[in-house]
Short mmCIF file of all heavy atoms in Angstrom, two decimals:
data_model
loop_
_atom_site.label_atom_id
_atom_site.label_comp_id
_atom_site.label_asym_id
_atom_site.label_seq_id
_atom_site.Cartn_x
_atom_site.Cartn_y
_atom_site.Cartn_z
N CYS G 1074 -125.20 24.86 114.84
CA CYS G 1074 -124.52 26.10 115.25
C CYS G 1074 -123.26 26.38 114.48
O CYS G 1074 -122.70 27.47 114.57
CB CYS G 1074 -124.21 26.05 116.74
SG CYS G 1074 -123.01 24.76 117.19
N GLY G 1075 -122.75 25.44 113.72
CA GLY G 1075 -121.53 25.65 112.94
C GLY G 1075 -120.25 25.48 113.72
O GLY G 1075 -119.16 25.78 113.19
N PHE G 1076 -120.30 24.98 114.96
CA PHE G 1076 -119.08 24.77 115.75
C PHE G 1076 -118.27 23.62 115.14
O PHE G 1076 -118.83 22.58 114.78
CB PHE G 1076 -119.43 24.46 117.20
CG PHE G 1076 -118.24 24.17 118.06
CD1 PHE G 1076 -117.44 25.18 118.54
CD2 PHE G 1076 -117.90 22.85 118.38
CE1 PHE G 1076 -116.33 24.90 119.33
CE2 PHE G 1076 -116.81 22.56 119.16
CZ PHE G 1076 -116.02 23.60 119.63
N THR G 1077 -116.97 23.81 115.02
CA THR G 1077 -116.07 22.83 114.40
C THR G 1077 -115.10 22.29 115.42
O THR G 1077 -114.41 23.06 116.12
CB THR G 1077 -115.30 23.45 113.23
OG1 THR G 1077 -116.23 23.94 112.26
CG2 THR G 1077 -114.39 22.42 112.58
N SER G 1078 -115.04 20.98 115.53
CA SER G 1078 -114.08 20.30 116.39
C SER G 1078 -113.02 19.65 115.51
O SER G 1078 -113.36 18.92 114.56
CB SER G 1078 -114.79 19.24 117.25
OG SER G 1078 -113.85 18.50 118.00
N THR G 1079 -111.77 19.90 115.82
CA THR G 1079 -110.65 19.44 114.99
C THR G 1079 -109.77 18.48 115.78
O THR G 1079 -109.42 18.75 116.92
CB THR G 1079 -109.81 20.62 114.49
OG1 THR G 1079 -110.64 21.53 113.77
CG2 THR G 1079 -108.69 20.15 113.59
N THR G 1080 -109.43 17.37 115.15
CA THR G 1080 -108.50 16.39 115.73
C THR G 1080 -107.44 16.05 114.69
O THR G 1080 -107.69 16.12 113.49
CB THR G 1080 -109.23 15.11 116.16
OG1 THR G 1080 -109.91 14.55 115.04
CG2 THR G 1080 -110.23 15.40 117.27
N TYR G 1081 -106.26 15.66 115.18
CA TYR G 1081 -105.13 15.30 114.32
C TYR G 1081 -104.73 13.85 114.64
O TYR G 1081 -104.55 13.50 115.82
CB TYR G 1081 -103.94 16.23 114.53
CG TYR G 1081 -104.26 17.68 114.21
CD1 TYR G 1081 -104.58 18.58 115.23
CD2 TYR G 1081 -104.22 18.15 112.90
CE1 TYR G 1081 -104.86 19.90 114.93
CE2 TYR G 1081 -104.51 19.47 112.60
CZ TYR G 1081 -104.82 20.33 113.62
OH TYR G 1081 -105.11 21.65 113.34
N ASP G 1082 -104.62 13.05 113.62
CA ASP G 1082 -104.29 11.64 113.79
C ASP G 1082 -103.05 11.31 112.96
O ASP G 1082 -103.01 11.58 111.75
CB ASP G 1082 -105.45 10.76 113.33
CG ASP G 1082 -106.71 10.99 114.15
OD1 ASP G 1082 -106.58 11.15 115.37
OD2 ASP G 1082 -107.81 11.03 113.56
N PRO G 1083 -102.02 10.69 113.58
CA PRO G 1083 -100.86 10.23 112.80
C PRO G 1083 -101.24 9.00 111.98
O PRO G 1083 -102.11 8.21 112.35
CB PRO G 1083 -99.81 9.90 113.86
CG PRO G 1083 -100.60 9.59 115.09
CD PRO G 1083 -101.85 10.44 115.02
N CYS G 1084 -100.58 8.83 110.86
CA CYS G 1084 -100.86 7.68 109.98
C CYS G 1084 -99.57 7.31 109.23
O CYS G 1084 -98.69 8.15 109.02
CB CYS G 1084 -101.97 8.01 108.97
SG CYS G 1084 -101.53 9.31 107.80
N VAL G 1085 -99.48 6.05 108.86
CA VAL G 1085 -98.36 5.57 108.04
C VAL G 1085 -98.81 5.22 106.63
O VAL G 1085 -97.98 4.90 105.79
CB VAL G 1085 -97.68 4.36 108.69
CG1 VAL G 1085 -97.00 4.76 110.00
CG2 VAL G 1085 -98.67 3.24 108.91
N ASP G 1086 -100.12 5.25 106.39
CA ASP G 1086 -100.65 5.05 105.05
C ASP G 1086 -102.03 5.68 104.98
O ASP G 1086 -102.62 6.04 106.02
CB ASP G 1086 -100.71 3.57 104.68
CG ASP G 1086 -101.70 2.81 105.53
OD1 ASP G 1086 -101.99 3.27 106.66
OD2 ASP G 1086 -102.21 1.77 105.09
N ILE G 1087 -102.56 5.83 103.78
CA ILE G 1087 -103.88 6.41 103.56
C ILE G 1087 -104.71 5.37 102.81
O ILE G 1087 -104.36 4.97 101.69
CB ILE G 1087 -103.80 7.72 102.77
CG1 ILE G 1087 -102.96 8.75 103.54
CG2 ILE G 1087 -105.19 8.28 102.49
CD1 ILE G 1087 -102.76 10.06 102.80
N SER G 1088 -105.79 4.92 103.42
CA SER G 1088 -106.67 3.92 102.82
C SER G 1088 -107.76 4.63 102.03
O SER G 1088 -108.44 5.52 102.56
CB SER G 1088 -107.28 3.02 103.90
OG SER G 1088 -106.28 2.30 104.58
N LEU G 1089 -107.94 4.24 100.78
CA LEU G 1089 -108.89 4.87 99.87
C LEU G 1089 -109.90 3.85 99.39
O LEU G 1089 -109.55 2.69 99.12
CB LEU G 1089 -108.16 5.49 98.67
CG LEU G 1089 -107.08 6.53 98.99
CD1 LEU G 1089 -106.39 6.98 97.71
CD2 LEU G 1089 -107.67 7.72 99.72
N ASP G 1090 -111.15 4.29 99.28
CA ASP G 1090 -112.23 3.44 98.79
C ASP G 1090 -112.39 3.63 97.29
O ASP G 1090 -112.26 4.76 96.77
CB ASP G 1090 -113.55 3.79 99.48
CG ASP G 1090 -113.55 3.43 100.95
OD1 ASP G 1090 -113.27 2.26 101.25
OD2 ASP G 1090 -113.80 4.32 101.79
N LEU G 1091 -112.69 2.53 96.60
CA LEU G 1091 -113.05 2.60 95.20
C LEU G 1091 -114.52 3.00 95.06
O LEU G 1091 -115.32 2.84 95.99
CB LEU G 1091 -112.80 1.26 94.52
CG LEU G 1091 -111.33 0.82 94.41
CD1 LEU G 1091 -111.24 -0.61 93.89
CD2 LEU G 1091 -110.54 1.76 93.52
N ASP G 1092 -114.89 3.52 93.90
CA ASP G 1092 -116.26 3.95 93.66
C ASP G 1092 -117.14 2.72 93.52
O ASP G 1092 -117.04 1.97 92.54
CB ASP G 1092 -116.32 4.82 92.40
CG ASP G 1092 -117.67 5.52 92.27
OD1 ASP G 1092 -118.54 5.28 93.13
OD2 ASP G 1092 -117.84 6.29 91.31
N SER G 1093 -118.01 2.51 94.49
CA SER G 1093 -118.88 1.33 94.46
C SER G 1093 -119.97 1.44 93.40
O SER G 1093 -120.60 0.43 93.04
CB SER G 1093 -119.53 1.12 95.83
OG SER G 1093 -120.28 2.27 96.21
N LYS G 1094 -120.24 2.64 92.88
CA LYS G 1094 -121.29 2.81 91.87
C LYS G 1094 -120.84 2.33 90.50
O LYS G 1094 -121.67 2.11 89.62
CB LYS G 1094 -121.70 4.28 91.79
CG LYS G 1094 -122.31 4.82 93.09
CD LYS G 1094 -122.69 6.28 92.94
CE LYS G 1094 -123.26 6.82 94.24
NZ LYS G 1094 -123.65 8.25 94.11
N LYS G 1095 -119.54 2.20 90.30
CA LYS G 1095 -119.02 1.76 89.01
C LYS G 1095 -118.86 0.24 89.05
O LYS G 1095 -118.03 -0.30 89.78
CB LYS G 1095 -117.66 2.41 88.71
CG LYS G 1095 -117.76 3.92 88.55
CD LYS G 1095 -116.41 4.51 88.20
CE LYS G 1095 -116.50 6.02 88.01
NZ LYS G 1095 -115.19 6.61 87.65
N ASN G 1096 -119.66 -0.43 88.26
CA ASN G 1096 -119.60 -1.89 88.20
C ASN G 1096 -118.60 -2.29 87.14
O ASN G 1096 -118.73 -1.92 85.98
CB ASN G 1096 -120.98 -2.46 87.87
CG ASN G 1096 -121.99 -2.15 88.95
OD1 ASN G 1096 -121.66 -2.16 90.14
ND2 ASN G 1096 -123.22 -1.86 88.56
N SER G 1097 -117.62 -3.07 87.54
CA SER G 1097 -116.59 -3.50 86.60
C SER G 1097 -117.14 -4.56 85.68
O SER G 1097 -117.92 -5.43 86.08
CB SER G 1097 -115.37 -4.05 87.35
OG SER G 1097 -115.74 -5.15 88.13
N THR G 1098 -116.77 -4.51 84.42
CA THR G 1098 -117.22 -5.45 83.41
C THR G 1098 -116.17 -6.52 83.24
O THR G 1098 -114.97 -6.26 83.20
CB THR G 1098 -117.45 -4.72 82.07
OG1 THR G 1098 -118.35 -3.65 82.30
CG2 THR G 1098 -118.02 -5.66 81.04
N LYS G 1099 -116.63 -7.77 83.11
CA LYS G 1099 -115.71 -8.89 82.94
C LYS G 1099 -115.12 -8.85 81.54
O LYS G 1099 -115.79 -9.16 80.56
CB LYS G 1099 -116.44 -10.21 83.17
CG LYS G 1099 -116.89 -10.42 84.60
CD LYS G 1099 -115.71 -10.54 85.54
CE LYS G 1099 -116.17 -10.80 86.96
NZ LYS G 1099 -115.05 -10.97 87.89
N THR G 1100 -113.90 -8.47 81.43
CA THR G 1100 -113.18 -8.44 80.17
C THR G 1100 -111.82 -9.05 80.40
O THR G 1100 -111.47 -9.49 81.48
CB THR G 1100 -113.04 -7.00 79.63
OG1 THR G 1100 -112.30 -6.24 80.58
CG2 THR G 1100 -114.40 -6.35 79.40
N ASN G 1101 -111.01 -9.04 79.33
CA ASN G 1101 -109.66 -9.58 79.45
C ASN G 1101 -108.73 -8.62 80.15
O ASN G 1101 -107.56 -8.90 80.28
CB ASN G 1101 -109.12 -9.92 78.05
CG ASN G 1101 -109.89 -11.05 77.41
OD1 ASN G 1101 -110.40 -11.93 78.11
ND2 ASN G 1101 -110.00 -11.02 76.09
N GLY G 1102 -109.26 -7.47 80.55
CA GLY G 1102 -108.41 -6.49 81.22
C GLY G 1102 -108.20 -5.29 80.32
O GLY G 1102 -108.23 -5.38 79.10
N PRO G 1103 -107.99 -4.13 80.88
CA PRO G 1103 -107.82 -2.93 80.08
C PRO G 1103 -106.46 -2.89 79.42
O PRO G 1103 -105.47 -3.34 79.98
CB PRO G 1103 -107.95 -1.80 81.12
CG PRO G 1103 -107.51 -2.43 82.38
CD PRO G 1103 -107.89 -3.87 82.32
N LYS G 1104 -106.43 -2.37 78.21
CA LYS G 1104 -105.19 -2.18 77.50
C LYS G 1104 -105.01 -0.68 77.27
O LYS G 1104 -105.95 0.02 76.91
CB LYS G 1104 -105.20 -2.91 76.16
CG LYS G 1104 -105.34 -4.44 76.31
CD LYS G 1104 -105.35 -5.12 74.97
CE LYS G 1104 -105.49 -6.63 75.13
NZ LYS G 1104 -105.50 -7.32 73.82
N HIS G 1105 -103.79 -0.21 77.49
CA HIS G 1105 -103.53 1.22 77.43
C HIS G 1105 -102.48 1.49 76.37
O HIS G 1105 -101.63 0.65 76.08
CB HIS G 1105 -103.04 1.74 78.80
CG HIS G 1105 -104.05 1.54 79.89
ND1 HIS G 1105 -104.97 2.48 80.24
CD2 HIS G 1105 -104.27 0.48 80.71
CE1 HIS G 1105 -105.73 2.04 81.23
NE2 HIS G 1105 -105.30 0.83 81.54
N HIS G 1106 -102.52 2.67 75.83
CA HIS G 1106 -101.48 3.11 74.92
C HIS G 1106 -101.20 4.57 75.21
O HIS G 1106 -102.06 5.31 75.71
CB HIS G 1106 -101.88 2.92 73.46
CG HIS G 1106 -102.97 3.86 73.00
ND1 HIS G 1106 -104.30 3.66 73.31
CD2 HIS G 1106 -102.91 5.01 72.29
CE1 HIS G 1106 -105.04 4.63 72.79
NE2 HIS G 1106 -104.22 5.48 72.18
N MET G 1107 -99.99 4.98 74.91
CA MET G 1107 -99.55 6.34 75.17
C MET G 1107 -99.80 7.20 73.94
O MET G 1107 -99.47 6.82 72.82
CB MET G 1107 -98.06 6.38 75.53
CG MET G 1107 -97.71 5.55 76.77
SD MET G 1107 -98.52 6.13 78.25
CE MET G 1107 -97.72 7.74 78.39
N ASN G 1108 -100.41 8.36 74.14
CA ASN G 1108 -100.68 9.31 73.07
C ASN G 1108 -100.36 10.69 73.57
O ASN G 1108 -101.14 11.31 74.30
CB ASN G 1108 -102.15 9.21 72.63
CG ASN G 1108 -102.43 10.09 71.42
OD1 ASN G 1108 -101.50 10.64 70.83
ND2 ASN G 1108 -103.70 10.20 71.05
N GLY G 1109 -99.19 11.16 73.21
CA GLY G 1109 -98.78 12.49 73.66
C GLY G 1109 -98.56 12.58 75.14
O GLY G 1109 -98.79 13.61 75.75
N GLY G 1110 -98.12 11.47 75.75
CA GLY G 1110 -97.87 11.46 77.19
C GLY G 1110 -99.11 11.21 78.01
O GLY G 1110 -99.04 11.15 79.23
N VAL G 1111 -100.30 11.06 77.37
CA VAL G 1111 -101.53 10.80 78.10
C VAL G 1111 -101.93 9.36 77.85
O VAL G 1111 -101.95 8.88 76.72
CB VAL G 1111 -102.65 11.76 77.64
CG1 VAL G 1111 -103.94 11.47 78.41
CG2 VAL G 1111 -102.22 13.20 77.82
N THR G 1112 -102.26 8.67 78.91
CA THR G 1112 -102.66 7.27 78.80
C THR G 1112 -104.15 7.19 78.56
O THR G 1112 -104.94 7.75 79.31
CB THR G 1112 -102.29 6.51 80.07
OG1 THR G 1112 -100.90 6.66 80.31
CG2 THR G 1112 -102.64 5.04 79.95
N LYS G 1113 -104.55 6.49 77.50
CA LYS G 1113 -105.96 6.32 77.17
C LYS G 1113 -106.29 4.84 77.12
O LYS G 1113 -105.49 4.02 76.72
CB LYS G 1113 -106.28 6.98 75.82
CG LYS G 1113 -106.05 8.49 75.81
CD LYS G 1113 -106.45 9.09 74.48
CE LYS G 1113 -106.24 10.61 74.47
NZ LYS G 1113 -106.62 11.19 73.17
#
Side-chain angles (χ1 to χ4, degrees):
C1074 65
F1076 177 79
T1077 301
S1078 175
T1079 303
T1080 57
Y1081 299 98
D1082 298 319
C1084 65
V1085 294
D1086 66 336
I1087 300 176
S1088 297
L1089 302 177
D1090 292 306
L1091 294 172
D1092 191 358
S1093 59
K1094 297 180 182 180
K1095 296 182 178 181
N1096 297 322
S1097 61
T1098 305
K1099 293 295 182 178
T1100 61
N1101 294 330
K1104 298 180 180 180
H1105 299 268
H1106 70 281
M1107 301 298 295
N1108 186 8
V1111 180
T1112 303
K1113 297 183 179 180

